């Protein structure tokens, strides 16, 4: 059978080609009854719009780049990213948009990604897991591409930049929740394993820890990298410095899982000798550690949906009219989920 055309859709629906085109391409100004006839004709004929023709009419590619500033090995091994991408994908799919995933492995990739973003392939970009020196926001601005950031931007001047839009969780509040819980258990020598301190989520969670322990021993702070191995290395470092520690707040569930392994190898019982709290509440980790992990929950999938939703609003011309002085931000709440480790 020949491929159905827009003309055949218009004929089946009993409308003009122009009316059929407006309905198929999401245009306005068509009565509901006519729109319903055209849609019924599309379904009956199995018509698939020509993407190139649609782009000429709408000036939209119906595609959004998701740029993750992390290596492939971490993206596909950490369930945090799977949940984040699932939220983004579901929101974009509901709006008939395609997700295009781009990864940054090393410095050379920034040029490649910049060429792609500037090549007219996508309508906008979602940028997340950025580091302080990350050029991605400047690249997107240079090529004139609307973007939304995952995580609080931390570079100088970001707090007053009205052009920025970002989604984050209450990382600092989550850090406070973790330490408050450990203190409520009577723990007094509370250590923390931070994430990479060139990322604002790590800095904010450490600040939450310090809010409750302003005079804390610096030997009780070790930097990790959001991976199980990094958490294990940091835990071993903490035990060597302060073998008398009685609690640990790890800034991610992945690092907490590595810390639990090292504690077990060192003969420390959890939670009897050392209580452990993580961050994220990624079920694939928190519910399966031994013992199951007490953790600070952030709604990772919802943050992905919110990022996509905010970008789609920008692409359809819905602008902020609140007279704000700084970035548009959405901060999602965090809460404690108590399991067996603390």
């Amino acid at each position: 059978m020949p491929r159905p055309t827009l003309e055949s859709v218009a004929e089946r629906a009993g409308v003009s080609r122009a009316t059929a085109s407006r309905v198929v391409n999401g245009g306005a100004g068509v009565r509901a009854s006519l729109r319903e006839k055209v849609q019924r004709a599309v379904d009956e004929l199995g018509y698939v719009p020509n993407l190139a023709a649609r782009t000429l009419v709408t000036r939209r590619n119906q595609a959004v780049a998701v740029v993750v500033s992390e290596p492939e090995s971490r993206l596909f091994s950490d369930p945090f990213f799977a949940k984040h991408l699932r939220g983004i994908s579901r929101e974009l799919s509901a709006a008939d948009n395609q997700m295009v995933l781009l990864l940054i492995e090393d410095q050379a990739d920034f040029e490649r990604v910049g060429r792609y973003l500037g090549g007219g392939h996508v309508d906008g970009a979602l940028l997340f897991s950025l580091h302080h020196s990350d050029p991605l926001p400047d690249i997107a601005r240079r090529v004139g591409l609307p973007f939304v950031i995952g995580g609080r931007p931390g570079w100088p001047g970001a707090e007053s930049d009205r052009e920025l839009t970002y989604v984050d969780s209450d990382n600092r509040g989550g850090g406070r929740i973790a330490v408050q819980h450990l203190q409520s258990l009577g723990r007094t020598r509370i250590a923390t394993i931070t994430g990479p301190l060139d990322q604002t989520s790590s800095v904010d969670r450490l600040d939450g820890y310090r809010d409750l322990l302003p005079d804390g021993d610096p030997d009780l702070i070790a930097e990790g990298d959001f991976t199980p191995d990094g958490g294990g290395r940091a835990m071993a470092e903490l035990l060597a410095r302060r073998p008398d520690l009685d609690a640990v707040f790890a800034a991610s569930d992945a690092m907490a899982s590595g810390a639990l392994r090292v504690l077990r190898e060192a003969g420390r019982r959890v939670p009897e000798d050392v209580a452990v709290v993580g961050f994220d509440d990624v079920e694939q980790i928190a519910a399966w550690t031994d013992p199951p992990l007490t953790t600070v929950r952030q709604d990772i999938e919802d943050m992905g949906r919110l990022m996509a939703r905010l970008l789609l609003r920008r692409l359809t011309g819905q602008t902020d009219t609140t007279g704000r002085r700084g970035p548009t931000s959405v901060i999602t709440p965090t809460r404690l989920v108590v399991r067996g480790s603390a």
Side-chain angles (χ1 to χ4, degrees):
M1 294 289 291
R3 178 177 176 175
T5 64
L6 191 59
E7 287 76 9
S8 60
V9 169
E11 182 178 356
R12 173 70 67 92
V15 299
S16 69
R17 185 186 186 282
T19 297
S21 176
R22 283 201 298 276
V23 173
V24 167
N25 293 309
V30 180
R31 294 198 311 273
S33 58
L34 294 182
R35 186 177 296 276
E36 184 178 336
K37 288 181 179 179
V38 172
Q39 190 57 58
R40 187 163 53 246
V42 166
D43 294 340
E44 290 172 353
L45 294 173
Y47 174 74
V48 178
N50 181 288
L51 183 58
R54 173 184 279 188
T55 299
L56 287 173
V57 173
T58 65
R59 300 184 182 275
R60 291 274 307 277
N61 294 285
Q62 299 297 116
V64 168
V66 178
V67 190
V68 186
S69 202
E70 296 291 348
E72 177 183 295
S73 58
R74 183 168 172 225
L75 181 81
F76 292 113
S77 64
D78 190 337
F80 170 90
F81 291 105
K83 294 187 73 171
H84 208 141
L85 291 172
R86 184 166 59 196
I88 291 171
S89 178
R90 286 178 173 176
E91 192 70 23
L92 292 179
S93 295
D96 196 24
N97 277 254
Q98 180 67 37
M99 181 177 78
V100 180
L101 182 61
L102 305 173
L103 305 183
I104 301 292
E105 290 275 352
D106 52 43
Q107 285 295 119
D109 288 328
F110 287 114
E111 182 180 352
R112 171 184 58 82
V113 169
R115 287 197 306 270
Y116 185 85
L117 295 179
H121 307 291
V122 293
D123 302 316
L126 300 172
L127 316 175
F128 72 92
S129 206
L130 301 185
H131 301 257
H132 283 339
S133 59
D134 210 305
L136 283 171
D138 286 339
I139 290 172
R141 277 180 165 150
R142 188 170 64 247
V143 301
L145 197 67
F147 63 92
V148 171
I149 297 172
R152 179 178 65 84
W155 54 86
E159 67 279 358
S160 59
D161 189 341
R162 295 183 59 186
E163 298 303 312
L164 289 178
T165 300
Y166 71 90
V167 175
D168 203 357
S169 67
D170 183 9
N171 290 299
R172 187 166 187 162
R176 288 195 295 267
I177 289 170
V179 177
Q180 284 170 348
H181 178 67
L182 292 169
Q183 289 177 327
S184 75
L185 300 175
R187 308 298 169 129
T188 58
R189 297 176 297 280
I190 303 171
T192 187
I193 299 173
T194 77
L197 293 176
D198 64 347
Q199 292 187 288
T200 55
S201 59
S202 303
V203 173
D204 291 346
R205 291 170 200 181
L206 176 59
D207 285 344
Y209 167 88
R210 285 174 167 157
D211 286 343
L212 275 293
L213 299 167
D215 301 317
D217 185 345
D219 281 346
L220 288 170
I221 300 173
E223 184 174 351
D225 60 2
F226 285 144
T227 69
D229 286 345
R233 287 191 297 270
M235 189 70 252
E237 182 182 332
L238 289 167
L239 286 173
R241 289 189 208 153
R242 288 294 304 270
D244 61 335
L245 64 84
D246 61 5
V248 179
F249 163 46
S252 78
D253 291 350
M255 292 194 299
S257 70
L260 287 171
R261 173 180 52 80
V262 169
L263 287 168
R264 185 167 53 250
E265 292 171 352
R268 304 299 178 90
R269 298 171 302 161
V270 176
E272 292 86 355
D273 300 327
V274 180
V276 178
V277 174
F279 199 110
D280 288 332
D281 194 27
V282 174
E283 186 177 2
Q284 296 95 315
I285 299 175
W288 291 94
T289 56
D290 182 20
L293 185 64
T294 291
T295 184
V296 176
R297 186 178 196 276
Q298 59 173 339
D299 196 332
I300 301 165
E301 188 171 331
D302 191 49
M303 287 193 292
R305 284 195 297 266
L306 287 168
M307 285 179 65
R309 196 173 302 160
L310 287 169
L311 180 62
L312 292 172
R313 286 178 183 174
R314 291 191 65 183
L315 295 178
T316 55
Q318 298 179 46
T319 57
D320 178 35
T321 58
T322 60
R324 59 189 168 82
R325 295 185 178 180
T328 295
S329 62
V330 177
I331 308 298
T332 62
T334 53
R335 63 181 178 85
L336 189 72
V337 178
V338 178
R339 297 190 179 93
S341 68

